[in-house]
């Protein structure tokens, strides 16, 4: 019995219509990337494991897809190690490569590797797939595209402001309405951890805090306790669980909370600069919101952190995110190169646009006219006309087989092709075409110029 075909969980096939809609999103993003002065690069789908591992925190490392070495990969594993069944240690010996988890770390590797050919500040964009061994659910896949823009080589906060404007421009052009651009600063999180006496638990603290909207206050408290953060420290951080007010009011509260932390106050100053500038420049449709629980759970952020939420009418996770990562290239040996970048979640943006019915009706270009095939002589006559129509940017096709008329007309109906052309012996003799409107059923004889004018 033939095996029933299937695809791995968390992956998808895309129909022509879906591909067209995805391309619409990517083209909209790409247009703004280029308008803001970014240039495209591409990196391999897989990297050396050492490039990726240890860059995303413990949780991120677990989600990296490892690629088994070629050949008899188990032969090189020490017998004693093999009997211990320690998967972490064995994996390092049987897998030297891994599928990329995101585009930022490979970009950092690219910058270091090509530093002599790059003019800093370097502005790049990248639209490619990434892979994560995550549990598939709505809006979360194991294979998905990221659309990233990054700038390396400058510490200027004007770049953060430009990225907020870039988010605003893209989502305005996608007619998405009022998205919320959440912003925080990793220095503020470090300052809070310092003030509550949990600096040694910074990563555990931020990872737990970042889950507030998913597991609630009690869930966050439990996770912090499980990670060894004291009840006294959690009590001090309690005001963050209901941190309300305007961005300026929140900044004022943070100033009071972080007066004893130099690192925390530096983060507050950076946020104040960004908020003041955005108030002056203004946004088209997006809303900027300071969210002190935003951490994004990644080790490499050192300054501003961004996350974009869809309009409140749609229940969806973040549709974009990013931040500043001053130390990232240092991991690969290139010191003192500051970077900041953002990412657009293509798949989630697609789901939001689909749910809200925001895709333009013309997003998927469809065939305008189908020429019926009556045989080789007639087909050659039709194909000459098809070629001329295509030269005038009119999508035209010839049915490939001289099948029964009913079958060919049914094909046009199923594909919702609005016009068909019939050309038999009499049409060839008079150098004309019989054009039929599939919606109204009307048909008339026309010459090529008339045909072209009707179809344009």
């Amino acid at each position: 019995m033939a095996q029933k075909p299937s695809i791995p969980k968390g992956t998808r096939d895309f129909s022509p219509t879906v591909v067209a809609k995805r391309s619409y999103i990517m083209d909209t993003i790409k247009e703004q990337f280029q308008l803001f002065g970014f240039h495209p690069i591409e990196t391999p789908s897989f990297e050396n494991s050492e490039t990726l591992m240890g860059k995303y925190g413990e949780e991120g490392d677990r989600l990296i897809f490892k690629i088994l070495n070629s050949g008899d990969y188990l032969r090189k594993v020490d017998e004693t190690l093999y009997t211990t069944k320690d998967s972490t240690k064995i994996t390092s010996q049987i897998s030297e490569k891994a599928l990329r988890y995101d585009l930022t770390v490979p970009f950092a590797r690219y910058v270091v590797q090509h530093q002599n050919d790059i003019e800093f500040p370097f502005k790049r964009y990248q639209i490619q797939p990434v892979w994560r061994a995550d549990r598939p659910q709505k809006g979360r896949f194991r294979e998905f595209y990221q659309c990233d823009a990054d700038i390396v080589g400058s510490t200027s906060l004007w770049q953060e402001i430009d990225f907020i404007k870039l988010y605003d421009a893209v989502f305005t052009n996608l007619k998405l309405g009022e998205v919320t651009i959440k912003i925080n600063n990793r220095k503020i999180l470090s300052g809070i951890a310092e003030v509550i006496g949990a600096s040694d638990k910074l990563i555990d603290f931020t990872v737990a805090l970042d889950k507030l909207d998913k597991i609630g206050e009690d869930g966050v408290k439990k996770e912090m306790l499980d990670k060894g953060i004291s009840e006294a420290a959690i009590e001090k951080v309690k005001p963050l669980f209901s941190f309300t007010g305007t961005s300026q009011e929140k900044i004022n509260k943070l100033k009071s909370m972080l007066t004893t932390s130099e690192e925390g106050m530096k983060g507050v100053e950076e946020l104040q600069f960004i908020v003041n500038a955005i108030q002056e420049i203004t946004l088209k449709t997006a809303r900027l919101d300071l969210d002190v629980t935003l951490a994004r759970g990644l080790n490499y952020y050192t300054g501003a952190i961004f996350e974009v939420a869809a309009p409140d009418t749609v229940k969806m996770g973040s549709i974009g995110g990013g931040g500043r990562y001053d130390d990232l290239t240092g991991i690969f040996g290139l010191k003192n190169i500051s970077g900041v970048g953002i990412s657009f979640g293509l798949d989630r943006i697609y789901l939001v646009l689909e749910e809200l019915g925001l895709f333009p009706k013309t997003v998927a270009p469809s065939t305008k006219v189908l020429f019926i095939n009556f045989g080789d002589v007639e087909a050659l006559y039709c194909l000459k006309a098809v070629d001329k129509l295509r030269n005038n940017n009119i999508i035209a096709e010839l049915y490939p087989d001289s099948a029964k008329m009913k079958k060919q007309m049914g094909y046009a109906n199923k594909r919702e092709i609005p016009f068909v052309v019939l050309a038999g012996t009499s049409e060839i003799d008079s150098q004309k075409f019989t054009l039929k409107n599939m919606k109204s059923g009307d048909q008339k004889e026309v010459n090529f110029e008339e045909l072209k004018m009707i179809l344009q």
Side-chain angles (χ1 to χ4, degrees):
M1 183 180 292
Q3 182 180 349
K4 185 178 179 181
S6 63
I7 59 175
K9 289 182 178 179
T11 65
R12 296 148 297 161
D13 290 322
F14 297 120
S15 69
T17 300
V18 172
V19 170
K21 290 179 177 179
R22 287 167 62 86
S23 296
Y24 162 74
I25 298 171
M26 285 190 278
D27 290 345
T28 302
I29 295 171
K30 188 184 298 184
E31 180 184 18
Q32 293 303 317
F33 280 168
Q34 294 172 348
L35 188 63
F36 277 66
F38 293 87
H39 301 280
I41 68 163
E42 292 188 358
T43 59
S45 58
F46 57 93
E47 298 269 353
N48 292 325
S49 295
E50 61 192 23
T51 298
L52 304 178
M53 298 299 290
K55 311 303 189 302
Y56 307 101
E58 187 179 336
E59 286 194 6
D61 282 354
R62 286 200 298 267
L63 300 181
I64 293 175
F65 275 109
K66 285 80 175 179
I67 301 172
L68 291 175
N69 294 339
S70 301
D72 190 359
Y73 49 83
L74 281 178
R75 185 178 295 276
K76 298 179 181 179
V77 179
D78 179 81
E79 187 68 29
T80 304
L81 177 60
Y82 185 74
T83 56
T84 64
K85 296 184 178 180
D86 187 326
S87 58
T88 302
K89 291 180 179 178
I90 292 176
T91 299
S92 65
Q93 294 197 18
I94 66 175
S95 174
E96 298 171 354
K97 300 175 184 66
L99 293 177
R100 61 176 173 238
Y101 176 92
D102 72 353
L103 299 179
T104 306
V105 170
F107 171 56
R109 189 267 309 154
Y110 175 95
V111 170
V112 175
Q113 196 168 337
H114 301 277
Q115 58 186 286
N116 295 329
D117 304 316
I118 290 174
E119 190 69 35
F120 294 102
F122 180 49
K123 301 176 70 172
R124 86 79 165 92
Y125 76 82
Q126 197 171 347
I127 300 177
Q128 287 186 278
V130 299
W131 294 266
R132 296 182 185 178
D134 213 342
R135 183 173 65 85
Q137 53 187 288
K138 182 182 179 181
R140 179 171 292 177
F141 308 99
R142 288 175 173 168
E143 178 186 58
F144 57 97
Y145 268 76
Q146 282 189 339
C147 308
D148 284 12
D150 290 79
I151 307 172
V152 292
S154 171
T155 59
S156 171
L157 290 176
W158 290 110
Q159 294 172 141
E160 277 85 339
I161 294 160
D162 216 27
F163 276 126
I164 292 171
K165 291 292 292 180
L166 175 56
Y167 267 140
D168 182 43
V170 168
F171 290 119
T172 297
N173 282 11
L174 289 173
K175 309 292 191 296
L176 201 49
E178 190 181 83
V179 301
T180 301
I181 303 171
K182 299 178 182 179
I183 187 172
N184 197 11
N185 194 297
R186 197 65 182 237
K187 295 183 181 72
I188 288 175
L189 293 169
S190 298
I192 293 170
E194 179 186 342
V195 166
I196 67 173
S199 292
D200 59 329
K201 299 283 186 180
L202 174 61
I203 298 301
D204 293 330
F205 167 73
T206 55
V207 168
L209 189 63
D210 194 45
K211 297 177 181 177
L212 181 63
D213 60 338
K214 301 181 184 71
I215 62 177
E217 182 177 338
D218 291 339
V220 170
K221 288 179 179 178
K222 182 179 183 303
E223 184 163 329
M224 287 183 177
L225 284 171
D226 291 343
K227 292 294 184 179
I229 299 172
S230 69
E231 289 191 18
I234 294 173
E235 186 63 28
K236 290 179 183 177
V237 84
K238 192 175 180 180
L240 296 182
F241 298 143
S242 56
F243 213 64
T244 58
T246 65
S247 292
Q248 188 56 57
E249 288 170 345
K250 291 175 183 177
I251 287 174
N252 292 339
K253 291 178 184 178
L254 286 172
K255 286 179 180 178
S256 300
M257 183 183 294
L258 298 171
T259 50
T260 60
S261 171
E262 183 179 347
E263 177 85 347
M265 289 304 293
K266 177 63 176 173
V268 172
E269 288 173 16
E270 292 179 4
L271 272 183
Q272 184 73 74
F273 182 86
I274 293 168
V275 168
N276 288 349
I278 291 299
Q279 287 176 345
E280 289 292 323
I281 300 171
T282 70
L283 301 175
K284 296 176 183 177
T285 58
R287 182 175 68 89
L288 186 65
D289 179 49
L290 170 54
D291 183 351
V292 292
T293 67
L294 178 62
R296 293 192 58 78
L298 296 180
N299 286 352
Y300 53 68
Y301 290 130
T302 57
I305 311 166
F306 300 107
E307 193 164 277
V308 183
D312 294 337
T313 52
V314 181
K315 291 185 178 180
M316 180 63 66
S318 65
I319 56 176
R324 181 167 286 279
Y325 44 88
D326 285 342
D327 306 337
L328 192 60
T329 55
I331 298 170
F332 300 116
L334 185 59
K335 303 293 184 182
N336 302 317
I337 297 291
S338 181
V340 59
I342 62 172
S343 180
F344 290 83
L346 170 65
D347 297 287
R348 291 185 177 183
I349 293 171
Y350 179 99
L351 292 173
V352 171
L353 293 181
E354 187 77 6
E355 186 169 332
L356 296 177
L358 293 175
F359 281 110
K361 292 182 179 179
T362 57
V363 72
S366 58
T367 297
K368 192 73 175 284
V369 60
L370 176 72
F371 284 71
I372 300 299
N373 188 332
F374 290 113
D376 288 346
V377 174
E378 294 86 351
L380 181 60
Y381 175 75
C382 289
L383 200 54
K384 291 178 181 178
V386 167
D387 192 46
K388 290 179 183 177
L389 290 173
R390 289 171 177 167
N391 289 337
N392 285 274
N393 295 315
I394 297 169
I395 305 176
E397 293 182 43
L398 168 69
Y399 194 84
D401 304 303
S402 56
K404 291 181 179 179
M405 173 77 77
K406 182 179 180 181
K407 182 176 181 179
Q408 296 189 54
M409 297 297 270
Y411 176 80
N413 272 325
K414 287 178 181 177
R415 287 191 53 199
E416 298 183 346
I417 299 173
F419 294 97
V420 297
V421 166
L422 302 91
T425 304
S426 62
E427 283 87 0
I428 295 174
D429 289 341
S430 62
Q431 290 294 291
K432 298 227 177 141
F433 305 89
T434 298
L435 178 66
K436 181 172 183 176
N437 185 314
M438 294 296 286
K439 188 174 182 180
S440 67
D442 296 337
Q443 63 181 53
K444 61 180 177 178
E445 200 172 74
V446 295
N447 60 33
F448 178 79
E449 287 302 318
E450 292 170 327
L451 175 68
K452 184 178 73 173
M453 286 184 64
I454 293 170
L455 296 176
Q456 279 179 331

